[in-house]
């Protein structure tokens, strides 16, 4: 996609609803921005610089070469220069230079340092919540600066002074109190599973179970809770898949969420949300931990679990395992009978969720599956897939209505690539992407459907 | 906190106009909320959706899955969107006086 003409402040008006005092209190955060917020923010900044060596490295390393500028979907979509990854990071970097480098401490603005003013703080809130931590910029950075880490640090500093979005805070709170992002309590979880079992019976004629809290099962499958709300085809697909394999599995009503919105708020909540999964796996006595179709869940679970709440040495390797890795493994072992023609007539392309492709190494697995089960599979343009994938525009806490214009802008490069593929079906293993694309398709007047990779695989499984 | 006047009474609502306290819901409140969604008149089919959602919410403290909503009301999703242009999770849940479903939806 061509770089757009610069439109300064084009996205300056996009504001998330702020978390209210009740919600902030529930999360142990200051209920309003305190009078001494500047000192507190700098203290937190200092703490992060000492606990995350990567952050200091990323803040020091950038030479402003500009390689990242036109790689961010939000810059491409909005034209706002503050959405160039280098410029967004500069909002934090200039405060870093002023307060944490010798030159900045001595010479301030002469060393390109800037005070942390009210205006800077508000810019942080605006632009660090227009970054989906998708890390496409990092792929193109010659020094490997990971701007997502900078966004995460900025959000953590903001949270420490009571600045958080309503959406992220609400979801984190539900994950802590109910066990999942949507807020489905155990009774409703069981009721939904029973209903979907009936649906599976109608579809396949088989008695396929969607077990809940079944101690001693081989596999604990942790799906995004959206699989029991909107993406029920995916939930049913897991059931048919394990049924065909004859593998005992279960979900947990305690750890009923793969996603981890703590990652979009701060370390403490990332760890606390993640903890539930480890506790549930231990308590149910499972041998394998498998994560469902969710992008950032995989990053949180795979990259961080061992550090946060590990070790996971009571589980079999790989621990955890992504459902698509699991599927490829059993397909290669010849344990599934597949009928390729089940998806005939569908022109399918695949969208790499950022966190699977760039943060979790799940790139070839979905393609291997799709090539086996969908004759109409085709790719989007090469510079928009695999590790160069374009974000859906709604990850990392952006999947909320009040910033719909930002979401439409952020998804635009992906939509253009999708149109170039000529596909009618977009296969995507991520609940956030699955929620964002239908809205985006409607906005851009594209007649296409969004499906899970597991949905298509389940269709092809012969029982 | 924003407030809204429905059927001559004041109600606290969230930023999206969803009732803060589901216990304050009544048929009159639903009619008032319909206006905020640009729905002129509530047909039997509207009420079928609203009552099912309400019943489910009172029992389970959450909205039912979209698939269950369609199955139990006998209304295809397309028709639910015609009845509630902002969709089942927004318009329909708002009229049923329950919190807006959030998460990856």
């Amino acid at each position: 996609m061509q770089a757009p003409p610069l439109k300064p402040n084009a996205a300056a008006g996009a504001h998330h609803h702020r978390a209210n005092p009740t919600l902030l209190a529930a999360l142990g955060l200051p209920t309003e921005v305190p009078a001494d917020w500047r000192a507190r923010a700098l203290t937190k900044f200092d703490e992060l610089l000492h606990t995350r060596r990567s952050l200091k490295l990323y803040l020091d390393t950038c030479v402003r070469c500009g390689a990242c500028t036109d790689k961010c979907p939000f810059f491409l979509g909005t034209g706002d220069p503050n959405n160039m990854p280098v410029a967004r990071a500069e909002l934090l970097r200039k405060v870093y230079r002023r307060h944490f480098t010798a030159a900045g401490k001595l010479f301030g603005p002469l060393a390109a340092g800037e005070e942390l003013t009210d205006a800077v703080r508000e810019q942080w809130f605006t632009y660090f919540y227009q970054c989906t931590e998708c890390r496409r910029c990092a792929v193109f950075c010659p020094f490997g600066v990971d701007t997502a880490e900078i966004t995460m640090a900025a959000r953590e500093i903001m949270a420490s002074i009571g600045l958080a979005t309503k959406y992220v805070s609400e979801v984190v709170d539900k994950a802590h109190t109910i066990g999942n992002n949507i807020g489905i309590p155990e009774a409703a979880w069981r009721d939904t599973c029973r209903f979907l079992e009936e649906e599976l019976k109608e579809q396949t004629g088989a008695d396929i179970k969607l077990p809940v809290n079944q101690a001693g099962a081989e596999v604990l499958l942790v799906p995004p809770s959206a699989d029991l709300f909107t993406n029920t085809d995916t939930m049913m697909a897991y059931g048919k898949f394990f049924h065909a394999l004859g593998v005992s599995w279960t979900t947990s009503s305690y750890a009923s969420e793969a996603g981890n919105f703590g990652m979009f708020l701060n370390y403490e909540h990332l760890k606390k949300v993640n903890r539930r999964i480890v506790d549930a796996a231990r308590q149910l006595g499972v041998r394998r931990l498998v994560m469902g179709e969710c992008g950032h869940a995989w990053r949180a679970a795979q990259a961080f679990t061992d550090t946060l709440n590990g070790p996971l040495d009571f589980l079999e390797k790989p621990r955890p395992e992504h459902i698509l890795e699991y599927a490829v493994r059993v397909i290669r072992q010849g344990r599934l009978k597949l009928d390729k023609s089940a998806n005939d007539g569908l022109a399918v392309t695949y969208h790499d969720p950022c966190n699977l492709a760039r943060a979790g190494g799940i790139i070839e697995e979905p393609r291997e599956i799709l090539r086996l089960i969908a004759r109409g599979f085709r790719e989007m343009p090469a510079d928009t897939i695999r590790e160069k994938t374009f974000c859906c525009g709604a990850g990392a806490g952006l999947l909320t209505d009040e910033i719909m214009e930002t979401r439409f802008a952020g998804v635009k490069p992906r939509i253009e690539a999708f149109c170039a593929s000529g596909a009618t079906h977009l296969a995507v293993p991520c609940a956030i992407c699955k929620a964002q694309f239908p809205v985006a398709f409607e906005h851009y007047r594209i007649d296409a459907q969004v499906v899970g990779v597991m949905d298509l695989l389940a269709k092809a499984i012969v029982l | 906190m924003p407030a809204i006047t429905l059927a001559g009474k004041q109600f606290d609502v969230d930023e999206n106009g969803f009732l803060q306290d589901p216990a304050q819901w009544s048929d009159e409140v639903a009619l008032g909320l319909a206006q905020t969604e640009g729905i002129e008149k509530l047909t039997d089919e509207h009420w079928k959706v609203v009552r099912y959602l309400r019943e489910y919410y009172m029992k389970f403290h959450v909205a039912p899955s979209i698939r269950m909503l369609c199955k139990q009301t006998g209304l295809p999703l397309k028709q639910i969107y015609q009845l509630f242009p902002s969709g089942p999770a927004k318009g329909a849940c708002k009229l049923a006086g329950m919190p807006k479903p959030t998460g990856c939806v």
Side-chain angles (χ1 to χ4, degrees):
Chain A
M1 189 173 166
Q2 284 281 313
L6 291 187
K7 289 182 234 161
N9 297 318
H15 297 303
H16 287 252
H17 296 318
R18 294 188 182 194
N20 63 35
T22 315
L23 208 43
L24 290 165
L27 298 177
L29 301 173
T31 53
E32 57 183 26
V33 177
D36 62 343
W37 69 268
R38 194 172 289 107
R40 287 202 202 193
L42 291 173
T43 303
K44 176 55 87 175
F45 201 160
D46 190 44
E47 179 197 314
L48 295 182
L49 288 168
H50 284 92
T51 50
R52 293 179 203 171
R53 289 169 63 192
S54 55
L55 177 63
K56 189 168 182 322
L57 186 72
Y58 295 148
L59 289 171
D60 282 330
T61 305
C62 176
V63 296
R64 305 195 209 184
C65 72
C68 61
T69 50
D70 58 351
K71 306 304 185 295
C72 172
F74 290 92
F75 172 65
L76 292 173
T78 64
D80 188 322
N82 277 329
N83 275 331
M84 292 176 176
V86 58
R88 192 187 293 110
E90 180 66 15
L91 298 173
L92 193 72
R93 225 174 238 134
K94 63 190 181 185
V95 176
Y96 167 73
R97 280 196 297 266
R98 166 66 187 82
H99 290 279
F100 300 100
T101 65
K105 283 181 197 169
L106 285 172
F107 305 115
L110 291 175
E114 197 172 314
E115 290 291 339
L116 178 52
T117 59
D118 289 28
V120 170
R121 187 191 71 197
E122 290 309 304
Q123 272 191 315
W124 283 8
F125 193 72
T126 303
Y127 289 104
F128 287 116
Y129 277 101
Q130 287 186 46
C131 165
T132 52
E133 302 175 3
C134 86
R135 305 166 87 234
R136 189 168 193 269
C137 50
V139 171
F140 294 89
C141 174
F143 296 97
V145 171
D146 184 349
T147 306
E149 294 265 344
I150 294 176
T151 292
M152 288 161 96
R155 290 186 181 191
E156 176 134 18
I157 296 169
M158 287 190 277
S160 78
I161 55 168
L163 263 184
T165 71
K166 180 188 177 195
Y167 172 51
V168 169
S169 307
E170 193 171 88
V171 167
V172 170
D173 185 50
K174 282 190 284 184
H176 291 330
T177 54
I178 303 172
N180 60 71
N181 292 356
I182 292 178
I184 307 172
E186 181 177 346
W189 189 270
R190 288 181 181 279
D191 184 65
T192 307
C193 286
R194 267 194 302 270
F195 166 72
L196 296 178
E197 285 170 353
E198 286 164 23
E199 292 283 284
L200 277 162
K201 175 91 182 173
E202 239 174 69
Q203 265 185 18
T204 66
D207 286 313
I208 296 173
K209 296 292 171 208
L210 302 181
V212 184
N213 299 341
Q214 192 178 294
E218 179 176 335
V219 170
L220 168 62
L221 175 89
V222 187
S225 57
D227 289 353
L228 271 84
F229 187 70
T230 33
N231 310 320
T232 39
D233 281 334
T234 307
M235 191 65 207
M236 289 158 66
Y238 304 137
K240 187 175 174 189
F241 172 74
F242 285 117
H243 178 87
L245 291 170
V247 165
S248 68
W249 70 291
T250 187
T251 57
S252 156
S253 65
Y254 176 75
S256 41
E257 180 62 59
N260 188 333
F261 272 44
M263 196 160 72
F264 311 145
L265 184 63
N266 68 14
Y267 178 86
E268 180 196 339
H269 290 289
L270 164 69
K271 181 173 178 162
K272 194 174 163 188
V273 172
N274 178 266
R275 177 89 214 174
R276 292 180 88 93
I277 296 175
V278 179
D279 287 348
R282 234 182 251 283
Q283 203 190 349
L284 291 167
V286 296
R287 300 214 315 271
R288 289 182 181 277
L289 173 60
V290 178
M291 305 300 292
E293 286 202 350
C294 175
H296 82 275
W298 182 238
R299 182 174 191 200
Q302 187 223 27
F304 302 137
T305 307
D306 258 333
T307 320
L308 297 173
N309 294 303
L312 290 175
D313 52 6
F314 60 99
L315 295 170
E316 279 178 32
K317 289 181 182 174
R319 49 191 187 224
E321 189 170 23
H322 193 275
I323 186 73
L324 298 181
E325 287 181 310
Y326 190 109
V328 164
R329 185 161 58 80
V330 297
I331 288 171
R332 285 182 187 165
Q333 290 166 350
R335 288 166 63 190
L336 285 177
K337 192 174 168 203
L338 301 173
D339 172 14
K340 218 174 204 185
S341 71
N343 293 306
D344 277 359
L346 307 187
V348 182
T349 192
Y350 176 70
H351 165 70
D352 292 271
C354 316
N355 280 300
L356 291 189
R358 279 193 284 268
I362 309 281
I363 293 179
E364 295 308 326
E365 291 83 351
R367 293 180 163 83
E368 185 171 336
I369 296 170
L370 289 168
R371 278 193 291 264
L372 280 173
I373 56 161
R375 283 188 275 225
F377 175 64
R378 79 274 315 276
E379 292 278 13
M380 289 189 262
D383 59 344
T384 74
I385 57 170
R386 296 193 162 87
E387 75 283 359
K388 291 176 188 160
T389 184
F390 271 116
C391 181
C392 73
L398 273 75
L399 185 69
T400 182
D401 291 355
E402 68 269 23
I403 53 149
M404 201 56 100
E405 289 308 314
T406 307
R407 286 168 53 186
F408 290 149
V411 73
K412 209 171 155 203
R414 172 41 85 221
I415 291 288
E416 286 185 9
F418 174 78
C419 292
S421 76
T424 56
H425 285 67
L426 181 62
V428 48
C430 170
I432 289 177
C433 303
K434 281 175 188 166
Q436 162 80 340
F437 280 119
V439 182
F441 283 154
E442 196 190 337
H443 177 76
Y444 288 106
R445 298 173 195 282
I446 291 161
D447 188 17
Q449 278 188 42
V450 180
V451 289
V453 176
M454 287 301 289
D455 310 13
L456 296 176
L457 174 60
K459 264 177 75 185
I461 291 175
V462 181
L463 291 181
Chain B
M1 190 180 288
I4 188 174
T5 305
L6 301 169
K9 274 201 279 186
Q10 275 236 323
F11 296 90
D12 288 337
V13 291
D14 73 0
E15 294 86 345
N16 300 301
F18 282 65
L19 220 53
Q20 287 285 6
D21 178 5
Q24 292 181 320
W25 186 88
S26 66
D27 284 15
E28 291 70 36
V29 170
L31 287 166
L33 288 166
Q35 302 297 314
T36 71
E37 280 286 303
I39 301 169
E40 292 294 316
K41 188 178 171 291
L42 289 188
T43 62
D44 288 350
E45 281 172 340
H46 283 103
W47 282 114
K48 195 196 266 183
V49 171
V50 168
R51 295 212 190 285
Y52 175 69
L53 285 174
R54 186 77 198 165
E55 197 183 310
Y56 193 92
Y57 179 74
M58 294 314 282
K59 188 168 173 192
F60 289 114
H61 312 290
V62 71
S65 71
I66 305 298
R67 191 188 203 103
M68 206 186 284
L69 172 68
C70 294
K71 188 97 174 186
Q72 302 297 345
T73 57
L75 299 168
L77 188 55
K78 211 170 179 174
Q79 200 176 343
I80 294 182
Y81 268 96
Q82 281 162 4
L83 295 168
F84 303 92
S86 64
K90 290 171 194 161
C93 286
K94 184 188 281 187
L95 262 67
M98 45 201 279
K100 183 180 174 195
T102 57
C104 303
V105 293

